[in-house]
Structure formats: structure tokens, C-alpha cells
Amino acid sequence: DVKVTQSSRYLVKRTGEKVFLECVQDMDHENMFWYRQDPGLGLRLIYFSYDVKMKEKGDIPEGYSVSREKKERFSLILESASTNQTSMYLCASSQLDSFSNEQYFGPGTRLTVT
Amino acid sequence: AQSVTQLGSHVSVSEGALVLLRCNYSSSVPPYLFWYVQYPNQGLQLLLKYTSAATLVKGINGFEAEFKKSETSFHLTKPSAHMSDAAEYFCAVSGPDYKLSFGAGTTVTVRA
């Protein structure tokens, strides 16, 4: 069974803290993605990666960075958390060989910044 | 650029009634289209996808969707709603860069 796991289901951090969200996939997928999900806005792409050490900005990269040192792991970093980054964060992965490939999602991390 | 619009943020249906969720897309290239479902406190799960092989696509849990190029639509239907169908549903379109553009989502509630 394919699997995308995220390090935490719920996380509470204080304003200004550095926050790491970890994502691991066991499907040997090349592509990995980070989204944030907010009510009424659907999913918005923060960053994605086609390969190890590669990263591309999505639609809302401001305030975030990413790291991909190994193929199976993609980390999202909030350098200095702010209250407007309170959200649900979803990680996904997909194969590189076709644009029709579906993305597989992790269970999400609900982050609250106080 | 690709985008989707989901008509209706909330849909309420009676158990056993038809479920119809509307999605219209915009794409500069032949689109790949997806419907995902999200149950409470879970990630997204693929219901079905359109990849140009057939215009009527059958998915899991009795859902199906029809691709209509002339109407730029990809509406999702299920003939008979079940209580377990209560969830949020997302339509998405894939571009020539592996990225998905998602609609705002439609929350389905099922009345007993």
C-alpha cells in the first residue's frame, strides 16, 4: 500500500519560532509537493520538487522554504512562524513520467501559530 | 494556465438521492482532470481521473464523472448518496508541469 507520512498531525508553535514539517513517501516518486489548505480557498501550492536538491516555487512561497536532501523526504520550513501561517499543511508525491499521474497525499499537519 | 471552478461550496442531499457536484475547467492544453475526496481530519484520496481515454470515467465508491469538452465541464455524480459520502470534494486540473490546480472544494452533507 502506497504511503505518504507527515511527522505531526497537530502542531502548536509560537510566533517567531522556526518550524519544520517533515514528509516521507515510500513509493520512490520523483515529484513531491507542499500545499496549504484554508477554508474556501482549496489547496494552494507552496513549493514542489522534481528531484533531490531541486525545488521550485509554487503559488504562495513567501515565508516558507523547503529542503530535499533525499528522494523520499521533503521538508517544509517556516523560518519565523506568524499567525497568518496557521493552516492545514498537506504533502503529496507523484511519479515523473506523465502529467496524468495522480498525486498521493499525506494525512496533513494542522499547524496553529499563537 | 490551468484553473478549475467548483460551483457551490456546500451541497446537502438526502440519503439515497442523487449527488451532483459541478466542476468547470480552463486549460490551454488538453486537460487531465481529477476528483479527490477528503474525509474529516484526513488527507486527500483520489476518486477518479480523466486522461482522454474515455469521456465517462468511473471511480471508487460508486462515483463517476463525465468530461464534456464543449462545456469545459467535469461534473461528479453518484446515483444514490450514502451517509459515508459526507466529505469535502475537490476538482483539480493538471498542467504541463506536474502541478495540480485545485478548486475551492464542495462540502457534501447527507441527511438521513
Side-chain angles (χ1 to χ4, degrees):
Chain A
D1 197 15
V2 297
K3 212 158 189 182
V4 179
T5 57
Q6 295 183 228
S7 50
S8 305
R9 293 299 305 274
Y10 300 93
L11 211 51
V12 179
K13 296 292 182 180
R14 293 193 182 275
T15 302
E17 278 193 83
K18 190 169 186 175
V19 181
F20 293 87
L21 303 182
E22 304 283 339
C23 175
V24 177
Q25 50 95 3
D26 66 358
M27 296 165 282
D28 201 35
H29 285 167
E30 295 84 1
N31 300 332
M32 295 189 75
F33 307 83
W34 274 107
Y35 296 90
R36 65 175 283 174
Q37 181 181 9
D38 300 288
L41 297 178
L43 278 72
R44 293 179 292 167
L45 183 64
I46 304 171
Y47 268 97
F48 60 103
S49 170
Y50 295 138
D51 201 353
V52 176
K53 305 253 187 225
M54 288 185 60
K55 60 183 179 184
E56 298 281 344
K57 291 181 180 179
D59 300 318
I60 51 165
E62 296 78 18
Y64 304 94
S65 62
V66 290
S67 173
R68 193 165 181 200
E69 297 295 321
K70 294 185 177 182
K71 188 176 185 180
E72 68 272 17
R73 189 178 297 268
F74 193 35
S75 301
L76 180 69
I77 304 155
L78 287 66
E79 295 289 344
S80 178
S82 64
T83 55
N84 63 12
Q85 292 179 310
T86 291
S87 186
M88 171 71 94
Y89 291 87
L90 291 164
C91 175
S93 71
S94 70
Q95 286 182 288
L96 188 66
D97 59 346
S98 172
F99 302 129
S100 69
N101 290 330
E102 64 265 35
Q103 293 182 14
Y104 293 86
F105 284 82
T109 295
R110 188 166 294 281
L111 173 67
T112 302
V113 182
T114 62
Chain B
Q2 287 67 234
S3 66
V4 294
T5 301
Q6 290 184 241
L7 300 175
S9 58
H10 288 89
V11 169
S12 180
V13 299
S14 298
E15 194 172 19
L18 172 73
V19 180
L20 170 61
L21 304 182
R22 300 178 188 274
C23 173
N24 288 91
Y25 70 90
S26 172
S27 177
S28 56
V29 297
Y32 297 114
L33 294 158
F34 305 80
W35 275 101
Y36 283 86
V37 61
Q38 185 180 35
Y39 299 104
N41 298 315
Q42 294 187 26
L44 274 68
Q45 176 183 358
L46 182 71
L47 273 177
L48 49 81
K49 67 177 181 180
Y50 168 76
T51 60
S52 77
T55 56
L56 185 62
V57 182
K58 294 188 182 299
I60 62 171
N61 301 339
F63 284 93
E64 63 182 35
E66 186 172 11
F67 174 74
K68 291 187 177 180
K69 185 177 180 181
S70 61
E71 298 177 9
T72 61
S73 68
F74 190 56
H75 300 333
L76 181 72
T77 60
K78 181 173 180 177
S80 177
H82 191 273
M83 298 298 288
S84 60
D85 295 325
E88 191 163 18
Y89 293 79
F90 293 94
C91 183
V93 61
S94 176
D97 54 8
Y98 305 104
K99 294 191 290 185
L100 288 179
S101 295
F102 286 86
T106 299
T107 299
V108 172
T109 56
V110 182
R111 305 186 303 273

